[in-house]
Amino acid sequence: GEESSKNVFYTGAAPNQQAIPATDYFLEELGVEKFALLGTDYVYPRTTNNILEAYLKDKGIAEEDIFVNYTPFGHSDWSKIVSDVVALGADGKKVGVISTINGDANIGFYKELAAAGVSADDIPVVAFSVGEEELSGLDTTNLVGHLAAWNYFMSAESEENEEFIAAWHDFIGDEKRVTNDPMEAHYIGFNMWVNAVEAAGTTDVDAVTKAMVGQTFPNLTGGTAEMLPNHHLTKPVLIGEILEDGQFDIVSQTEPVPGDAWTDFLPESAVLEADWVELECGMYNTETKTCVQLQSNY
């Protein structure tokens, strides 16, 4: 999120298609009152957590009830951080962890939670970077019951998903290999590109770019994805509970949500609009009525 380029079509989740709905699930379904925002130290977690801090405060969560921490890639010593998270709940309020921790650091984090005697019932964790591929081959004992927020899970029940999994297993020659959310995002994006090329009658970049907007293609959860004028997709939001076999029990699923290029919860972004059809701009300032030059996060 927080970017819209004429030359990029964003098939992954914007914050309002993953982070915000996951936070709502914690607030509305699990009764979480205090939040630990734990991330690996790079642009994606910092951008996401900036949005979530603002969103939580907008929802009435006090600043002192939000704990934010960043660690390097591969971080392994989680004892102090887990201790700090546990201490958040010393007053009896329900604590939840929103995790943008990436890579192998997740293993140590979940192990430390278990070592501290913390279960998913005590302090639930919802992760944005832990999916089937990350769980495959791992001992999931310490992860069972914790959550992940994605737009697709392999366990989704649909005819399209059954066909996709069968085709993947046939291609890879190994029925133990899993599918995951990034695979679905790529599958949708590539097929939309093919259809846009056919509609344009050429592979010319400008012609295909124009033909991409409005493209629809079946997603793997039984609905339809659409490419919007801001170059983001519509995507359903799924919350899954980690099972012992590394799959997910889907506990919540929304209707397709339009991807928002610029969040409503940061003042500098709330005034921006992305529209590459009518406005021909990815950073249109609705107050000044001018197109701002893109300042990429990357």
Side-chain angles (χ1 to χ4, degrees), residues 60-231:
I61 303 297
E63 186 172 356
E64 59 267 25
D65 291 338
I66 305 171
F67 170 64
V68 183
N69 186 267
Y70 297 101
T71 47
F73 281 97
H75 186 73
S76 58
D77 184 4
W78 289 96
S79 56
K80 175 66 167 62
I81 297 168
V82 167
S83 177
D84 289 341
V85 171
V86 172
L88 269 181
D91 59 359
K93 288 186 176 180
K94 180 78 170 178
V95 176
V97 175
I98 296 182
S99 171
T100 46
I101 300 166
N102 273 349
D104 293 346
N106 278 291
I107 299 171
F109 170 62
Y110 286 104
K111 279 187 177 180
E112 187 61 38
L113 277 178
V118 176
S119 71
D121 291 331
D122 301 324
I123 299 178
V125 178
V126 62
F128 303 155
S129 302
V130 175
E132 293 87 347
E133 182 64 26
E134 288 77 19
L135 296 177
S136 63
L138 289 182
D139 178 0
T140 59
T141 304
N142 299 323
L143 291 84
V144 171
H146 289 295
L147 305 165
W150 292 101
N151 309 109
Y152 164 85
F153 288 112
M154 187 175 181
S155 55
E157 295 182 1
S158 72
E159 185 176 329
E160 292 86 356
N161 194 33
E162 287 183 14
E163 292 175 357
F164 182 79
I165 293 169
W168 165 240
H169 285 163
D170 182 60
F171 170 77
I172 204 69
D174 182 356
E175 293 198 355
K176 292 182 180 179
R177 288 293 299 274
V178 296
T179 59
N180 62 9
D181 177 283
M183 290 174 69
E184 189 216 28
H186 176 73
Y187 171 72
I188 291 168
F190 177 76
N191 279 285
M192 282 186 171
W193 178 83
V194 170
N195 292 341
V197 168
E198 291 178 345
T202 176
T203 57
D204 175 75
V205 171
D206 288 340
V208 175
T209 297
K210 186 176 180 179
M212 274 288 285
V213 175
Q215 287 291 335
T216 60
F217 195 80
N219 62 37
L220 299 180
T221 56
T224 301
E226 179 182 355
M227 184 60 71
L228 303 173
N230 65 2
H231 289 190

Side-chain angles (χ1 to χ4, degrees), residues 2-66:
E2 304 308 282
E3 178 178 330
S4 181
S5 168
K6 178 183 178 181
N7 301 316
V8 179
F9 289 91
Y10 304 86
T11 61
N16 75 307
Q17 296 172 310
Q18 187 179 33
I20 297 294
T23 304
D24 284 342
Y25 186 83
F26 266 27
L27 289 166
E28 298 165 9
E29 301 297 329
L30 301 184
V32 172
E33 300 170 281
K34 290 189 171 187
F35 288 79
L37 310 182
L38 307 183
T40 300
D41 195 3
Y42 73 109
V43 64
Y44 162 63
R46 285 189 175 270
T47 302
T48 299
N49 288 341
N50 283 344
I51 294 168
L52 290 184
E53 277 192 87
Y55 182 70
L56 287 169
K57 290 173 183 176
D58 187 65
K59 287 289 186 178
I61 303 297
E63 186 172 356
E64 59 267 25
D65 291 338
I66 305 171

Side-chain angles (χ1 to χ4, degrees), residues 227-242:
M227 184 60 71
L228 303 173
N230 65 2
H231 289 190
H232 282 263
L233 288 176
T234 59
K235 299 170 78 73
V237 184
L238 283 63
I239 309 290
E241 187 175 298
I242 299 173

